[in-house]
């Protein structure tokens, strides 16, 4: 177990204190109720997409298989932070163990990395479907789709493995207080006994590559998609193409619009309150909004959701009998 040491105190302390959102007890209970509701709605929304794709044969296509994996990822992404946050709202000490902190650090960043790769692969799928419609079935086969899905998961969980492992082996001095609701690299590096510019540079470089390479790939894909859509003669064809891409572009905008602010320079001194709000937006509220965006803008998904709701009502009725 890694310990904290203080020059003026020979005792050692294990774990960190996550300040979260400090305030009076009444506010903590209110926040607990709010984020419990958000968490449950996120699980229900993303879980519904997974069930709809699983049970509706028409959705057994690469586009929806990728979407189901993305929803599965979102469930675990929000689970990597919110349950601990909820426990902190009701806790007086707000302590997280050293191992718990770095497990959260690893899973939060690994799932976030996988999300970047999935958004890029989903853009590639839309590019093939719209720009190469005749060759799409032969290009985006089930086998290729499975390879792309596996690659996203594997790359995501390997991307930050080395810097997280190195940071976990460092010595931490003095204060063990992290003014955040999760274990974040910036506050953690600030607690180390000495500066580690190589690790800071590595973290910054990996974050920049992770964010900008998939983002540029997504933007390049959609430039080609837009060029192809503008050549479509019928207005109905253009609307259909824009509708299939619009939901994905909205999700990309929500995620990248906030996450780029935070992790290009992980050791830069963002104001703590703003850092929490931005992190909260892309890690908690974006997974809540995504199922709504994909369901409202996609006719096939709306129909599948209606069928899923009918099945649930039939199951409930038969169960009541």
């Amino acid at each position: 177990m890694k310990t904290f040491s203080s020059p003026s105190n020979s005792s050692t302390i294990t774990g960190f204190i996550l300040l979260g959102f400090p305030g009076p007890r009444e506010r903590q209970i209110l926040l607990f109720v709010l984020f419990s509701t958000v968490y449950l709605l996120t699980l229900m929304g993303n879980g519904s997409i997974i069930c709809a794709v699983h049970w509706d044969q028409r959705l057994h296509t690469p586009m929806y298989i990728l979407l189901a994996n993305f929803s599965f990822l979102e469930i675990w992404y929000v689970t990597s932070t919110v349950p601990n946050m909820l426990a902190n709202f009701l806790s007086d000490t707000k302590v997280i163990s050293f191992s718990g902190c770095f497990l959260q650090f690893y899973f939060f960043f690994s799932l976030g990395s996988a999300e970047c790769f999935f958004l890029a692969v989903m853009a590639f799928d839309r590019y093939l479907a719209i720009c190469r419609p005749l060759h799409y079935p032969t290009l985006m086969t089930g086998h290729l789709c499975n390879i792309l899905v596996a690659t996203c998961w594997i790359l995501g969980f390997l991307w930050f493995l080395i810097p997280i492992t190195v940071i976990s082996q460092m010595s931490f001095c003095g204060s063990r207080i992290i003014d955040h609701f999760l274990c974040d690299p910036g506050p953690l590096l600030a607690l180390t006994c000495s500066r580690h510019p190589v690790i800071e540079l590595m973290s910054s470089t990996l974050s920049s590559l992770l964010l900008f390479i998939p983002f540029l790939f997504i933007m390049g894909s959609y430039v080609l998609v837009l060029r192809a859509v503008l050549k479509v003669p019928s207005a109905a064809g253009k609307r259909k193409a824009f509708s299939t891409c619009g939901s994905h572009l909205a999700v990309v905008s929500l995620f990248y619009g906030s996450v780029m602010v935070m992790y290009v320079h992980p050791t830069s001194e963002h104001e703590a309150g703003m850092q929490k709000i931005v992190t909260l937006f892309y890690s908690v509220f974006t997974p809540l909004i995504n199922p709504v965006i994909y369901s409202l803008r996609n006719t096939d998904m709306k129909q599948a959701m209606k069928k899923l709701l009918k099945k649930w009502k039939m199951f409930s009725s038969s169960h009541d009998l």
Side-chain angles (χ1 to χ4, degrees):
M1 179 72 72
K2 180 67 70 173
T3 60
F4 289 77
S5 59
S6 174
S8 59
N9 190 348
S10 60
S11 63
T12 58
I13 307 169
T14 59
F16 300 92
I17 297 173
L18 288 176
L19 286 185
F21 300 93
R25 187 69 177 172
E26 293 77 12
R27 187 193 300 172
Q28 297 291 299
I29 293 172
L30 181 63
L31 289 172
F32 176 84
V33 173
L34 172 64
F35 284 104
S36 294
T37 305
V38 168
Y39 183 55
L40 289 174
L41 290 174
T42 303
L43 297 184
M44 290 170 59
N46 286 284
S48 297
I49 287 180
I50 295 169
C51 292
V53 173
H54 177 72
W55 280 324
D56 195 324
Q57 292 291 329
R58 294 175 307 161
L59 302 185
H60 289 185
T61 61
M63 174 181 170
Y64 293 107
I65 290 170
L66 290 170
L67 178 57
N69 273 272
F70 188 75
S71 295
F72 181 72
L73 183 152
E74 293 285 63
I75 287 173
W76 289 108
Y77 190 45
V78 76
T79 299
S80 69
T81 56
V82 173
N84 185 71
M85 190 197 310
L86 295 176
N88 267 12
F89 287 138
L90 304 180
S91 171
D92 293 325
T93 61
K94 302 186 183 299
V95 173
I96 184 171
S97 67
F98 181 86
S99 56
C101 182
F102 277 92
L103 278 173
Q104 183 188 65
F105 185 5
Y106 175 67
F107 280 104
F108 179 73
F109 275 82
S110 296
L111 292 164
S113 302
E115 180 159 347
C116 292
F117 294 125
F118 266 108
L119 289 172
V121 168
M122 291 164 80
F124 175 65
D125 174 71
R126 291 301 81 210
Y127 160 75
L128 289 180
I130 293 171
C131 298
R132 300 286 185 271
L134 298 179
H135 300 95
Y136 179 75
T138 54
L139 291 173
M140 185 57 81
T141 60
H143 180 64
L144 177 60
C145 183
N146 290 335
I147 290 175
L148 291 173
V149 166
T151 301
C152 289
W153 285 107
I154 293 169
L155 277 179
F157 277 83
L158 291 178
W159 194 261
F160 281 105
L161 182 60
I162 293 176
I164 290 174
T165 303
V166 173
I167 294 172
S168 70
Q169 301 304 310
M170 293 178 180
S171 297
F172 297 88
C173 294
S175 171
R176 59 187 178 128
I177 296 172
I178 297 176
D179 191 5
H180 212 311
F181 62 86
L182 55 80
C183 291
D184 195 68
L188 280 171
L189 287 170
L191 294 178
T192 56
C193 295
S194 59
R195 288 288 305 274
H196 294 82
V198 175
I199 295 302
E200 292 175 10
L201 179 61
M202 181 189 296
S203 297
S204 179
T205 302
L206 286 174
S207 297
S208 300
L209 291 174
L210 175 68
L211 292 173
F212 286 108
I213 291 177
F215 181 73
L216 292 173
F217 182 83
I218 292 167
M219 291 299 100
S221 297
Y222 276 110
V223 167
L224 296 174
V225 165
L226 180 61
R227 191 174 68 176
V229 168
L230 292 177
K231 293 179 181 178
V232 175
S234 69
K238 288 180 180 178
R239 278 197 303 272
K240 183 177 180 181
F242 279 126
S243 118
T244 58
C245 297
S247 54
H248 183 252
L249 271 175
V251 170
V252 168
S253 301
L254 285 171
F255 180 74
Y256 274 98
S258 53
V259 78
M260 279 187 175
V261 177
M262 303 307 301
Y263 293 114
V264 175
H265 300 291
T267 56
S268 62
E269 296 182 1
H270 298 287
E271 184 185 345
M274 182 58 66
Q275 188 178 35
K276 292 178 193 176
I277 291 170
V278 176
T279 306
L280 197 64
F281 183 79
Y282 73 76
S283 66
V284 178
F285 289 111
T286 300
L288 170 68
I289 298 168
N290 287 350
V292 179
I293 294 173
Y294 280 114
S295 300
L296 289 178
R297 297 187 61 89
N298 190 296
T299 304
D300 291 337
M301 184 56 69
K302 281 193 284 189
Q303 292 175 353
M305 288 289 190
K306 288 177 183 176
K307 288 174 64 177
L308 182 64
L309 187 59
K310 286 181 182 177
K311 283 186 179 182
W312 175 252
K313 286 180 178 177
M314 289 173 60
F315 174 78
S316 299
S317 300
S318 61
H319 187 71
D320 292 339
L321 294 174

